[in-house]
């Protein structure tokens, strides 16, 4: 299989962590893409019309996107403990946490594009503040409501949250999330030591 890859993308990182955690790394060849929302990649656009990474091209040419679809696909391809409950209310709770982790990444990526890519005279502080508030509310909610769930296993939801926090460290270190959410920080300090997280850490 071929994975359209960028080492800085937290969405790609989720997929890479799942490949590590489920022992499927050798099934995938990485295809590096220099990704920007205003300067797409032709081959990627052909496979994923929305032009975003990650996308996974299977052996038969079928292309899967986005990251949540790919992670769930990979979770059905190994014989170890599933990384997402297959049924029941736990499945929907974990999927909602996965979605929340992705939404933190979306808000942070939006901030990155607004503050880095958009021409300086067109930048909008109100937009940046709103993204920060989304992230703050989500992190506070994770700390107050979901820490025990996160600590119960490194599944797709926990992988998503870990990759979202890693991305905040990469792109918004000034956000200072650890001071605001010490419980989440303690949890993250532990999971960041996992070989899958170390191997997929974005280059400094
Ligand atoms: O927006 C674009 O055209 C290009 N952006 C991307 O490909 C980003 C890379 S993270 N990917 C996504 O936004 C994927 C989101 C999708 N819902 C998923 O796969 O889950 C770039 C981070 C950075 O450069 O800082």
């Amino acid at each position: 299989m071929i994975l359209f890859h960028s080492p800085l993308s937290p969405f790609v990182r989720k997929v890479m962590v799942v490949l590590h955690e489920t022992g499927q790394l050798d099934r995938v060849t990485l295809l590096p893409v220099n990704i920007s929302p205003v300067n797409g990649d032709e081959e990627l656009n052909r496979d994923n019309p929305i032009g975003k990474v990650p996308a996974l091209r299977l052996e038969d040419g079928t292309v899967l996107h986005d990251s949540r679809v790919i992670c769930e696909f990979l979770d059905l391809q190994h014989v170890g403990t599933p990384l997402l409950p297959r049924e029941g209310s736990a499945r929907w709770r974990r999927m909602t946490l996965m979605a929340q982790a992705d939404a933190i990444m979306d808000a942070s990526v939006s901030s990155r594009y607004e503050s880095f890519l958009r021409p300086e005279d067109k930048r909008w502080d109100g937009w940046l503040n709103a993204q920060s508030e989304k992230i703050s509310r989500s992190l506070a909610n994770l700390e107050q409501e979901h820490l025990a769930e996160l600590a119960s296993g490194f599944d797709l939801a926990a992988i998503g949250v870990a990759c979202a926090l890693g991305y905040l460290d990469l792109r918004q270190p000034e956000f200072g999330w650890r001071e605001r959410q010490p419980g989440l920080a303690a949890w993250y300090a532990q999971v960041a030591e996992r070989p899958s997280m170390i191997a997929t850490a974005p280059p400094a």
Side-chain angles (χ1 to χ4, degrees):
M1 300 186 283
I2 292 175
L3 179 67
F4 289 89
H5 181 271
S6 158
L8 300 180
S9 164
F11 302 99
V12 171
R13 189 178 185 190
K14 281 194 308 182
V15 172
M16 293 301 297
V17 171
V18 170
L19 287 169
H20 275 268
E21 292 282 341
T22 59
Q24 300 186 75
L25 259 188
D26 58 354
R27 298 186 62 206
V28 168
T29 302
L30 306 186
L31 185 61
V33 184
N34 205 354
I35 196 71
S36 152
V38 288
N39 195 6
D41 177 277
E42 261 183 45
E43 187 175 359
L44 173 63
N45 288 346
R46 270 197 301 275
D47 271 16
N48 175 6
I50 213 73
K52 295 188 182 189
V53 290
L56 183 69
R57 192 190 295 154
L58 308 185
E59 283 98 340
D60 68 358
T62 310
V63 178
L64 302 183
H65 61 86
D66 58 7
S67 63
R68 256 183 281 170
V69 175
I70 298 170
C71 288
E72 282 206 56
F73 170 78
L74 292 173
D75 192 33
L76 292 172
Q77 302 286 309
H78 67 102
V79 291
T81 309
L83 295 181
L84 186 67
R86 300 279 191 249
E87 56 192 11
S89 60
R91 176 176 175 80
W92 305 112
R93 281 207 314 276
R94 302 307 276 190
M95 287 184 78
T96 300
L97 271 184
M98 279 165 66
Q100 186 160 334
D102 278 14
I104 293 169
M105 295 181 214
D106 282 332
S108 186
V109 170
S110 287
S111 294
R112 167 74 183 171
Y113 291 161
E114 181 70 23
S115 60
F116 185 75
L117 282 183
R118 191 182 291 279
E120 221 166 328
D121 59 322
K122 296 194 172 65
R123 286 181 195 160
W124 182 12
D125 284 344
W127 174 265
L128 285 172
N129 292 338
Q131 305 313 307
S132 286
E133 281 168 20
K134 288 175 194 293
I135 296 170
S136 297
R137 283 195 304 270
S138 293
L139 297 184
N141 169 268
L142 289 175
E143 169 132 339
Q144 285 155 22
E145 309 279 344
H146 300 292
L147 257 192
E149 254 177 297
L150 285 176
S152 69
F154 200 56
D155 66 358
L156 292 189
I159 290 169
V161 173
C163 292
L165 294 173
Y167 186 70
L168 287 177
D169 282 346
L170 175 74
R171 291 302 199 201
Q172 294 177 263
E174 73 292 346
F175 193 80
W177 65 269
R178 283 181 180 75
E179 290 74 52
R180 304 182 208 193
Q181 311 302 341
L184 210 50
W187 171 79
Y188 181 70
Q190 282 191 346
V191 296
E193 293 300 319
R194 294 179 77 92
S196 62
M197 288 295 289
I198 292 172
T200 59

